[in-house]
Amino acid sequence: LLDRTFRVAGSSFFQVNPPQAEALATLLIERLGLTGSEIIVDAYAGVGTFAALLAPSAGRVIAIEESASAVMDAALNTDGLENVEFIEAKTEDALPGIIGNVDVLILDPPRRGCHPDAIAGAIKLSPRKIVMVSCDPHTMARDLASLCCNGSFILEELQPVDMFPQTYHVECVTTLQWRGFAATSR
């Protein structure tokens, strides 16, 4: 994927459509516009796909994943990238423990969406930007409403990516900006 080889154990998750997975990763990279100094939290990190692809352009990447097999894969997939740290835990348990300024939060939850405590942790973390990747429009809408309705974040963009051609399934990439950052950057 984007000239990087990934190991994926049978019990780990990886996108089944590599050409569209590359399109999705490229879209995410473009939306972030990294400068090389950002602190990124990659929640629901899986085998470290986004962590591995973003680390060369970031200051630090903290990846959170609850699956032990995926974390083992991710350690191999990010070998040689000294600025990547993995936390083996549920996102809703790990987010509250992250201390300091975070520039970007990537949320790539399973089909059931983000746990309410993960949403609360994201709001408390107040990253400059959130990029959410979702394979279920209904749970994505619910999670976006929770992030935006209380005034914490502003939805900037929603871009569908057809990961599953000739089906009704669609992956979506949304970009949100923290309202506090939007107010100070004007």
Side-chain angles (χ1 to χ4, degrees), residues 53-71:
L53 296 175
L54 296 172
S57 302
R60 181 175 174 214
V61 178
I62 303 163
I64 304 168
E65 174 56 45
E66 70 176 288
S67 165
S69 68
V71 172

Side-chain angles (χ1 to χ4, degrees), residues 33-58:
L34 300 175
T35 64
S37 63
E38 291 84 1
I39 297 172
I40 299 172
V41 173
D42 180 8
Y44 307 97
V47 299
T49 306
F50 294 141
L53 296 175
L54 296 172
S57 302

Side-chain angles (χ1 to χ4, degrees), residues 28-126:
L28 185 126
I29 291 166
E30 289 172 357
R31 295 307 177 263
L32 293 179
L34 300 175
T35 64
S37 63
E38 291 84 1
I39 297 172
I40 299 172
V41 173
D42 180 8
Y44 307 97
V47 299
T49 306
F50 294 141
L53 296 175
L54 296 172
S57 302
R60 181 175 174 214
V61 178
I62 303 163
I64 304 168
E65 174 56 45
E66 70 176 288
S67 165
S69 68
V71 172
M72 285 191 292
D73 290 340
L76 291 170
N77 295 335
T78 58
D79 187 44
L81 298 170
E82 301 298 321
N83 62 338
V84 178
E85 166 192 349
F86 278 90
I87 299 171
E88 186 178 327
K90 292 183 176 191
T91 295
E92 58 268 23
D93 296 336
L95 272 182
I98 295 176
I99 299 170
N101 293 330
V102 171
D103 297 296
V104 174
L105 172 61
I106 298 167
L107 294 171
D108 187 6
R111 189 167 300 281
R112 70 181 176 273
C114 294
H115 187 281
D117 291 344
I119 296 292
I123 292 168
K124 184 179 177 198
L125 200 59
S126 300

